[in-house]
C-alpha cells in the first residue's frame, strides 16, 4: 500500500489505475474515520453512561474527562475533540443505520458531521428511527452537493417526520453575530463579517465616517483604510482617529491609541530596522533602540501601478511578531506599531528569575512563563497563555514558584491536572527546556513543547526547577473541593434543545390579527 506514496511508482500507473486508487483510498478513509468514531463513542460511554449524580454535577465530569483523553490521543483542541465525541455518540446511539453506511465507506465524514448536526433536535424515538432509515438510503448522494444543499436535503426528511426539529433560519435579529478571521486572511489583517441590527449599523457607520473626517487632508490613507483604522481605535477606547500626516502642527496628530494599547514583549529577537541600513555583523546582533523608528510608507494609500518594483522592495527588515491567542504581525506592521506608540518590553532572562517565597508569581515571572509557552501546555490545547492559569507543576508548597515549575494551563486542564491525579489520574512532569511530559490514566505519554521554541527555533531557555521542598503535599479528597455545576451537562443540553424546538414551533404559528 505504501508504494503509492512513491512518486515514481505513481508515475507508472495508468490513468484508470490512478482513478481506482483514488476511489479505493476515499472509501478506505471513510471506513477508517467510521472506526475511529466508533472507538471514541466507546470512550465516551465508559466515562458517561454510568455516571452518578454527584460526578455529573462536577465541573470535571465524565464528559470532560473523556474529552481530555480524546484530545491528547488525537492531538485535537478541547472543542474539536468534544465535537468529534458528539458525532460519535450520535452515530452510536441515535443513527445506527447511517453509521452502518458510513462504516462501509459509502459516505464521507463531512456528510456524517452534517447529518448529526441537522438531526440534533430530534427527540422522538420513532421519528428519529424513520429519519435514520431515510438518510441511510439517501446520504450516498449528498457528497456531490454543496454544504447548503446537503443541509436542505437532510432537512427534507427532518421536516417530514419532526417539523419542530428542523434547524430553521430564525428572524434576522436572532441571527445577528460578528465573526473574525478567515483561513484565507493574509498575515497582519483579519476579515470581519456578520449581521447587526439596522439601528446599530447606522450608529457605527456614522461614527466611523465622523472619525475619518477628523484627520487632515495630508493623511496618506484612503477613506477605506481610515474607516478600518477607526474601528480599531474604537476597540482601543478612543473616540477619534490619529492623523498619520507626520506634521507636528496637525491638531489630530499624536500617539495612536491603537498602538498605545499594544505591548510588544521582546524575547531574543532584534527590533525592526530599515532594510536599507548598512550594519556590520556585530551591529546586526544589537537590539534596536526605541529611538530608531523605521516605517514602511507603502502600507498606507493606494499602490502606484507605475512603480511596481518599488512596491515589491521591503522597506523594513527583521523578525515578525506573534499575537497571543493567534495571528502573525508582519515586520512592516510591527514597525508601524512601534513608531506610533506601542510599548516595547524586554522579557526577563530566566537566570534572573529566582524562586519566589510566595504562591502567586510576580509580574516578571508570569510574563516570562507566558511568553515562553504562549499556549496551554496540555496536549492538543491551544488556549492562549494569557487566558490560562499559571500552574505549579509540582504543587505548592512542595513545588517552588519558579520558571522551572510553572506552566500555563487553561482552567479545564488545570482542574483535570489538580483533581484527576494520583494512580488513576494525569501526571505532569516539567523539563528544564520548558517541555512537559504528560502521562494519561491509561499509561500513554504525550510530550508538549513551549510554542515559542516552535515559532522561534533558535531561541531556547534553560529553566531547571529548584530542589523540591520537604513540605509534604496534604492528602485530602480533592473532589470534595472541585467546582460544581448547578445543572448537569446533559440537563443543560436538553434545555437548549427544548428551547430551540419551542422557538421553531412558534414560527409555524400564524401571527395574531
Amino acid at each position: 500500500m505504501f508504494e503509492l506514496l512513491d512518486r515514481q511508482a505513481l508515475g507508472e500507473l495508468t490513468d484508470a489505475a490512478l482513478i481506482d486508487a483514488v476511489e479505493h483510498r476515499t472509501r478506505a478513509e471513510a471506513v477508517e474515520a467510521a472506526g475511529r468514531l466508533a472507538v471514541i463513542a466507546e470512550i465516551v460511554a465508559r466515562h458517561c453512561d454510568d455516571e452518578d449524580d454527584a460526578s455529573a454535577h462536577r465541573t470535571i465530569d465524565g464528559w470532560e474527562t473523556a474529552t481530555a483523553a480524546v484530545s491528547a490521543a488525537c492531538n485535537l483542541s478541547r472543542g474539536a475533540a468534544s465535537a468529534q465525541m458528539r458525532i460519535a455518540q450520535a452515530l452510536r446511539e441515535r443513527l445506527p443505520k447511517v453509521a452502518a453506511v458510513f462504516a462501509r465507506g459509502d459516505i464521507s465524514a463531512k456528510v456524517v458531521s452534517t447529518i448529526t448536526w441537522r438531526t440534533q433536535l430530534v427527540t422522538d424515538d420513532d421519528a428519529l428511527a424513520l429519519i435514520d432509515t431515510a438518510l441511510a438510503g439517501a446520504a450516498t448522494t449528498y457528497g456531490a452537493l454543496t454544504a447548503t444543499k446537503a443541509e436542505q436535503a437532510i432537512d427534507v426528511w427532518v421536516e417530514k417526520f419532526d417539523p419542530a426539529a428542523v434547524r430553521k433560519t430564525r428572524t434576522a435579529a436572532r441571527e445577528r453575530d460578528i465573526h473574525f478571521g478567515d483561513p484565507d486572511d493574509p498575515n497582519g489583517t483579519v476579515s470581519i463579517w456578520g449581521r447587526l441590527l439596522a439601528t446599530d449599523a447606522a450608529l457605527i457607520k456614522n461614527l466611523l465616517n465622523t472619525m475619518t473626517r477628523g484627520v487632515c487632508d495630508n493623511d496618506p490613507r484612503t477613506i477605506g483604510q481610515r474607516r478600518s483604522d477607526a474601528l480599531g481605535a474604537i476597540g482601543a477606547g478612543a473616540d477619534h482617529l490619529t492623523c498619520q500626516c507626520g506634521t507636528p502642527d496637525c491638531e489630530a496628530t499624536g500617539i495612536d491609541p491603537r498602538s498605545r494599547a499594544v505591548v510588544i514583549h521582546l524575547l531574543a529577537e532584534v527590533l525592526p530596522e530599515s532594510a536599507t541600513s548598512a550594519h556590520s555583523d556585530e551591529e546586526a546582533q544589537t537590539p534596536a533602540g526605541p529611538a530608531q523608528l523605521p516605517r514602511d510608507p507603502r502600507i498606507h494609500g493606494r499602490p502606484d501601478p507605475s512603480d511596481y518594483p518599488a512596491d515589491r522592495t521591503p522597506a523594513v527588515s527583521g523578525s515578525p511578531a506573534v499575537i497571543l491567542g493567534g495571528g502573525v504581525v508582519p515586520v512592516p506592521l510591527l514597525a508601524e506599531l512601534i513608531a506610533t506608540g506601542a510599548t516595547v518590553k524586554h522579557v526577563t532572562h530566566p537566570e534572573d528569575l529566582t524562586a519566589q517565597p510566595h504562591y502567586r508569581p510576580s509580574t516578571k515571572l508570569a510574563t516570562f512563563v507566558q511568553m515562553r509557552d504562549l499556549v496551554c501546555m496540555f496536549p492538543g490545547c491551544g488556549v492562549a497563555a494569557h487566558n490560562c492559569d499559571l500552574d505549579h507543576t509540582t504543587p505548592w508548597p512542595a513545588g517552588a514558584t519558579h520558571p522551572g515549575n510553572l506552566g500555563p494551563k487553561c482552567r479545564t486542564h488545570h482542574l483535570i491536572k489538580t483533581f484527576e491525579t494520583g494512580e488513576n489520574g494525569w501526571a505532569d512532569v516539567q523539563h528544564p527546556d520548558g517541555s512537559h511530559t504528560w502521562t494519561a490514566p491509561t499509561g500513554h505519554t504525550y510530550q508538549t513543547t513551549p510554542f515559542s521554541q516552535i515559532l522561534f527555533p533558535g531561541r531556547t531557555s534553560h529553566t531547571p526547577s529548584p530542589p523540591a521542598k520537604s513540605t509534604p503535599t496534604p492528602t485530602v479528597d480533592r473532589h470534595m473541593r472541585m467546582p460544581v455545576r448547578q445543572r448537569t451537562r446533559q440537563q443543560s443540553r436538553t434545555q437548549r434543545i427544548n428551547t430551540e424546538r419551542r422557538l421553531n414551533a412558534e414560527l409555524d404559528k400564524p401571527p395574531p390579527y
Side-chain angles (χ1 to χ4, degrees), residues 98-298:
V98 170
V101 176
F102 187 27
R104 294 197 301 267
D106 292 340
I107 53 178
S108 68
K110 183 179 180 180
V111 169
V112 167
S113 175
T114 305
I115 289 175
T116 57
W117 169 246
R118 301 304 292 187
T119 58
Q120 193 177 45
L121 300 184
V122 180
T123 56
D124 182 82
D125 290 340
D126 292 337
L128 185 60
L130 292 171
I131 292 169
D132 183 28
T133 301
L135 290 176
T140 54
T141 64
Y142 293 168
L145 302 178
T146 64
T148 301
K149 288 188 179 297
E151 291 176 354
Q152 293 172 348
I154 296 166
D155 287 349
V156 166
W157 296 107
V158 180
E159 179 78 43
K160 182 175 181 178
F161 297 113
D162 191 359
V166 176
R167 288 192 175 275
K168 298 178 179 178
T169 301
R170 309 264 179 79
T171 62
R174 287 184 186 150
E175 284 189 329
R176 66 187 186 276
D177 193 4
I178 300 296
H179 304 273
F180 295 85
D182 183 89
D184 295 329
D185 288 340
N187 285 336
T189 62
V190 174
S191 57
I192 301 177
W193 74 99
R195 183 184 298 275
L196 301 173
L197 295 176
T199 51
D200 293 341
L203 290 172
I204 293 177
K205 182 178 179 180
N206 289 337
L207 178 57
L208 294 180
N209 288 337
T210 300
M211 293 173 70
T212 59
R213 292 192 293 269
V215 298
C216 75
D217 294 337
N218 293 325
D219 187 289
R221 293 169 291 188
T222 65
I223 295 297
Q225 291 167 355
R226 294 179 193 177
R227 273 199 299 265
S228 174
D229 292 353
L231 189 59
I234 293 173
D239 58 0
H240 67 282
L241 186 62
T242 303
C243 188
Q244 299 287 347
C245 67
T247 305
D249 297 334
C250 177
E251 295 181 356
T253 193
I255 295 178
D256 194 322
R258 297 174 299 147
S259 300
R260 186 170 52 201
V262 174
V263 177
I264 299 170
H265 294 282
L266 192 64
L267 299 176
E269 307 294 329
V270 297
L271 289 170
E273 59 184 12
S274 173
T276 58
S277 300
H279 298 281
S280 66
D281 291 340
E282 180 178 353
E283 291 174 336
Q285 300 300 320
T286 304
Q292 299 173 329
L293 304 175
R295 299 176 73 173
D296 186 348
R298 294 180 178 271

Side-chain angles (χ1 to χ4, degrees), residues 432-472:
D433 63 353
S435 64
H436 291 243
T437 298
W438 289 84
T439 303
T442 57
H444 292 82
T445 59
Y446 307 95
Q447 194 83 6
T448 57
T449 302
F451 200 35
S452 66
Q453 295 182 17
I454 297 173
L455 295 174
F456 310 107
R459 181 187 180 275
T460 58
S461 56
H462 188 73
T463 54
S465 179
K469 301 178 182 179
S470 59
T471 306

Side-chain angles (χ1 to χ4, degrees), residues 27-151:
R27 179 176 292 273
E29 181 182 29
V31 171
E32 287 296 319
R36 174 175 170 274
L37 288 172
V39 172
I40 290 175
E42 177 64 23
I43 294 172
V44 174
R46 293 190 182 187
H47 284 88
C48 300
D49 281 0
D50 297 325
E51 191 171 26
D52 58 37
D53 188 65
S55 175
H57 276 87
R58 293 175 185 145
T59 300
I60 305 302
D61 56 359
W63 183 272
E64 205 67 76
T65 303
T67 302
V70 173
S71 173
C74 301
N75 194 26
L76 293 172
S77 69
R78 174 170 166 255
S82 185
Q84 291 286 289
M85 290 159 58
R86 287 292 180 203
I87 296 171
Q89 192 179 49
L91 291 173
R92 176 178 171 129
E93 300 177 1
R94 294 167 54 83
L95 302 166
K97 293 184 179 179
V98 170
V101 176
F102 187 27
R104 294 197 301 267
D106 292 340
I107 53 178
S108 68
K110 183 179 180 180
V111 169
V112 167
S113 175
T114 305
I115 289 175
T116 57
W117 169 246
R118 301 304 292 187
T119 58
Q120 193 177 45
L121 300 184
V122 180
T123 56
D124 182 82
D125 290 340
D126 292 337
L128 185 60
L130 292 171
I131 292 169
D132 183 28
T133 301
L135 290 176
T140 54
T141 64
Y142 293 168
L145 302 178
T146 64
T148 301
K149 288 188 179 297
E151 291 176 354

Side-chain angles (χ1 to χ4, degrees), residues 278-334:
H279 298 281
S280 66
D281 291 340
E282 180 178 353
E283 291 174 336
Q285 300 300 320
T286 304
Q292 299 173 329
L293 304 175
R295 299 176 73 173
D296 186 348
R298 294 180 178 271
I299 65 174
H300 300 308
R302 298 185 185 279
D304 183 358
S306 63
D307 198 12
Y308 181 75
D311 201 45
R312 292 289 302 272
T313 303
V316 181
S317 64
S319 297
V322 178
I323 302 173
L324 281 178
V328 175
V329 181
V331 182
L333 300 184
L334 178 62

Side-chain angles (χ1 to χ4, degrees), residues 346-374:
H346 288 264
V347 176
T348 306
H349 195 276
E351 293 181 358
D352 299 326
L353 296 169
T354 57
Q356 298 177 357
H358 38 74
Y359 174 80
R360 189 175 298 277
S362 65
T363 301
K364 288 184 177 180
L365 176 53
T367 299
F368 169 79
V369 174
Q370 290 171 343
M371 295 304 108
R372 178 193 64 194
D373 298 335
L374 294 179

